[in-house]
Amino acid sequence: MSMSMSTIGKYASVFNIGLQNTFVYRWNYFLRALFGLIPLAGTVFLWSAVFKERGGSLHGYDYSSMIYYYLLTILVSNLVVPTEDEWQIAADIREGQINSLLTKPMSYLAYRFSIFLSGRLVYAFVTLPPIGVIFFYFRDYIVLPGDPLVYLLTAVSILMAAFIQFFITYSLAMFAFWILEITTIVFIVYSFEYFLGGQMFPIDIMPSAIQAVMKWLPFYYELFCPVAIFLGRLKGADLVQALAIQTGWLMLSWAWANAMWKRGLGHYQAVGG
């Protein structure tokens, strides 16, 4: 028991250091959040034009529910999307910083996850005020779920989305064991996440055949899934299936992160890192 408590203490201190380091960049975060809201203005004008042109609704979305959808994606992405983590991990590997961590009785994955959590906490703390202002401005479009279970399932799905995002980010950073510059790989995956994760448009306005494929990809569960649960667009059997697949991707991404670390570390030590 004392061993586990001392281990928890180690990661808590890493979390605390991450908190302090991240707070130094709070203005960067604030400005990033502010500029992150600029696309919302474009989105508002775009969908306003679409719905005025065609009238009525689009696959169950009308103008107000579409705006609400984008407000929720902004909120959820601020809670779950890693910032700078892959570059920091790649720098640790490239500059040999991991050597000092390898001598400590500490899992590098857990170490980085502690830093990720502290970063998300500060990021959320700094970015929620401007997001709150936007939500207040668009308050007429907000319809809160009446069922308390929806809030619980949304929270569980957001948590799993954060884990999946982190494990994928961590795995991508592991390519730094083999290649000097991981930027291309990261941006390719980011592009898929942006287009197939629901940030650009709701996945459920796509043709059903495309949706059926996208539901089996991890990107669907990185952002769209918790938003769709909160909006009541995933219900009953579809909701159960979505949470089951999201859990599957959580396990797979965790296994991939561990496998990439082991293989990368083996290569690193073999070439005398």
Side-chain angles (χ1 to χ4, degrees), residues 8-61:
I8 291 166
K10 281 191 198 102
Y11 294 120
S13 66
V14 170
F15 178 87
N16 191 32
I17 292 163
L19 216 55
Q20 290 166 21
N21 290 347
T22 309
F23 234 89
V24 173
Y25 302 106
R26 62 190 180 277
W27 282 110
N28 293 14
Y29 284 170
F30 185 77
L31 290 170
R32 183 183 291 179
L34 223 49
F35 284 112
L37 296 173
I38 291 171
L40 179 66
T43 301
V44 169
F45 291 125
L46 171 69
W47 288 107
S48 171
V50 167
F51 285 112
K52 276 177 187 161
E53 184 69 32
R54 56 179 288 136
S57 64
L58 175 69
H59 295 276
Y61 287 96

Side-chain angles (χ1 to χ4, degrees), residues 101-116:
L101 290 158
L102 293 175
T103 59
K104 294 177 178 141
M106 191 182 274
S107 152
Y108 185 67
L109 181 65
Y111 164 78
R112 283 309 318 184
F113 189 68
S114 303
I115 292 173
F116 165 70

Side-chain angles (χ1 to χ4, degrees), residues 4 12 14 16-17 33 66 84 86 89 102 130 133-134 160 171 192 203 206 233 240-241 244 246 254 256 263:
S4 65
V14 170
N16 191 32
I17 292 163
M66 190 63 86
E84 313 295 334
E86 60 279 276
I89 296 166
L102 293 175
V133 169
I134 298 291
M160 287 202 281
S171 302
F192 278 111
I203 307 291
M206 302 288 284
R233 295 186 71 90
V240 173
Q241 185 198 48
Q246 191 178 26
W254 175 69
W256 185 40
R263 286 189 67 116

